[in-house]
Amino acid sequence: MKKTLIVVLVAAIIVLLGLMVYYVLFFYSNSALPPCCPLFTSQTEADQFEPGSGRDFGMMGPGMMGAMNVFVDSEYEFLVHMIPHHEEAVATATYLKENTEREEIREFAKGIIRTQSAEIEQMTTWLKNWYPDQQHSVDYQPMMRNLKNLEGDALDRAFMEDMIPHHMTAIMMSQQLLNRGLAEHEEVEILARSIRNSQGNEIQMMMRWLASWDNEDPIAVGRNLPVLVMGGLLIFLVFIVLVVLLVRLLFSTNKPHGLAAINSREILDKRYVTGEISREDYLVLRRTQNKSP
C-alpha cells in the first residue's frame, strides 16, 4: 500500500512539474506582447506632454515623423485642420468595416466612424457659429494609403500601420491646443482632451493587434491572463503539497508502534486467561510492556 502511494505521488509530481515548465515556456514565448494600457497613465502626465518630448510610441519610425509635423496656432486652425483629418479616418475606417474578415476589427472601425463622425459634426457647427466670416477648408494632404487593392490580413495590417501615425498627428494637434492655451471655448478644450485620450488608447489597441498577428494568439493570452496566472499558482501549490507528503511518507518508519502494542497486550491477556502464566508473571509482564517505548 505504501509503495503504491509513493508511486502515485511521484507520478503526480512529475506531471505537475511538466505543467509548470510548460507555463514558464508559454509565458516566455508570449513575452513580446505589449501591455494593454493607456498612452498616458495619468491626467497630469497627459497635460504635461509636449510634442518632441521623446515619449516612445512603440511603432513610430523615421517615415512616420513627417506625418506629425502639423502645428496649429489658434482654435480656428485646430478645427479646420482636424475636420479633414477626421474625414480621412472615417472614410478609411468605412472601407475597413466593409472588407475586413476579423469581427473585432470591424467593431473597432465602427467605433472610429461613430465617434469621429459626431466630432466632425460638432466642429463644423462650431466653425459656422464662431467663425462665420473665415474659410472653413484647408489644403489637406492625405496621410493614409489607398486600401482598395488589399484584403484579409494585408488590409488589416495596412490600416493599423497607417492609422497609428494618423492618430498620433491628432494627438499632437490636440496637445498643442491644450499646452499653449489656444482654446477660446471650453467645448473645444474638452474635445481636444477627448481626442488625445481616446486616440492614445486606440494606438495601444492597434499596437497590440499588430503584435498579436506575429504570435500565436497573444490577444487571447492577455484576455485570459488572470485565469492563467491563478491556474499556475494553483498548480505550484499542489506541487508543493505533494512533495511534502512524499517526503514525509519516505522518511516515516514501517513499524506500526501503536498496533504492535495493542497486539502484545491482547496476547498477554489471553495467556493469563488461559492459565498459561500466573497473576504475578502477568503483572510483571504488563509493567514491562508499559515501560517499553
Side-chain angles (χ1 to χ4, degrees):
M1 180 65 182
K2 180 178 178 180
K3 291 183 179 180
T4 302
L5 185 56
I6 291 176
V7 171
V8 172
L9 286 175
V10 170
I13 290 171
I14 292 174
V15 170
L16 290 175
L17 185 60
L19 284 175
M20 288 192 294
V21 171
Y22 172 80
Y23 259 74
V24 172
L25 295 176
F26 181 81
F27 281 102
Y28 179 80
S29 65
N30 290 280
S31 61
L33 179 64
C36 182
C37 56
L39 186 63
F40 302 104
T41 57
S42 67
Q43 189 66 39
T44 301
E45 182 180 323
D47 291 339
Q48 294 175 347
F49 174 69
E50 288 283 356
S53 63
R55 171 174 287 279
D56 182 10
F57 289 93
M59 293 295 297
M60 187 165 59
M64 297 181 182
M65 291 300 294
M68 303 179 70
N69 293 328
V70 178
F71 298 96
V72 294
D73 292 321
S74 65
E75 176 185 89
Y76 163 76
E77 283 193 6
F78 173 82
L79 294 174
V80 296
H81 282 89
M82 192 63 77
I83 287 175
H85 189 269
H86 271 27
E87 289 173 341
E88 182 183 29
V90 169
T92 309
T94 299
Y95 183 83
L96 179 71
K97 181 195 70 173
E98 297 171 353
N99 295 276
T100 183
E101 298 174 0
R102 292 183 170 97
E103 185 59 32
E104 67 271 21
I105 304 301
R106 183 175 291 107
E107 292 301 316
F108 177 67
K110 288 180 181 179
I112 290 177
I113 296 168
R114 180 173 57 253
T115 300
Q116 298 201 24
S117 293
E119 291 173 349
I120 289 171
E121 185 176 351
Q122 273 188 329
M123 290 185 289
T124 301
T125 300
W126 291 339
L127 279 174
K128 289 179 180 179
N129 294 339
W130 299 336
Y131 305 98
D133 299 328
Q134 293 181 256
Q135 180 71 19
H136 294 170
S137 61
V138 293
D139 183 18
Y140 180 77
Q141 298 297 320
M143 292 177 57
M144 305 185 71
R145 77 190 86 173
N146 189 334
L147 303 177
K148 292 185 178 179
N149 295 325
L150 301 175
E151 59 183 18
D153 183 73
L155 171 64
D156 295 345
R157 187 178 294 274
F159 176 84
M160 301 296 167
E161 290 173 350
D162 287 359
M163 189 57 77
I164 288 175
H166 194 273
H167 271 21
M168 288 178 183
T169 303
I171 292 173
M172 292 297 186
M173 293 168 61
S174 299
Q175 201 58 41
Q176 288 171 34
L177 180 88
L178 296 170
N179 282 358
R180 299 172 62 190
L182 301 176
E184 299 178 20
H185 298 83
E186 184 180 1
E187 298 93 327
V188 178
E189 182 176 344
I190 293 173
L191 175 64
R193 292 184 186 279
S194 176
I195 291 173
R196 178 197 63 192
N197 296 337
S198 63
Q199 295 197 18
N201 292 336
E202 288 176 357
I203 286 174
Q204 289 292 324
M205 186 179 297
M206 289 185 284
M207 291 169 61
R208 185 178 179 86
W209 274 323
L210 284 173
S212 76
W213 299 336
D214 295 328
N215 295 282
E216 292 184 359
D217 189 15
I219 289 181
V221 173
R223 188 166 52 241
N224 298 318
L225 185 59
V227 176
L228 292 172
V229 171
M230 290 301 296
L233 290 175
L234 181 60
I235 290 174
F236 179 74
L237 290 175
V238 174
F239 173 82
I240 295 299
V241 171
L242 292 182
V243 169
V244 171
L245 288 176
L246 179 60
V247 170
R248 293 185 62 180
L249 191 60
L250 289 174
F251 285 92
S252 65
T253 177
N254 289 323
K255 183 178 180 180
H257 293 287
L259 183 60
I262 293 173
N263 290 338
S264 298
R265 187 172 301 170
E266 289 177 350
I267 295 173
L268 182 62
D269 291 342
K270 186 176 181 181
R271 293 179 63 190
Y272 173 68
V273 171
T274 58
E276 183 179 344
I277 60 175
S278 65
R279 178 177 176 79
E280 290 76 11
D281 291 338
Y282 172 76
L283 294 175
V284 171
L285 292 174
R286 280 290 301 271
R287 283 195 295 270
T288 303
Q289 281 185 345
N290 293 334
K291 292 180 181 180
S292 63

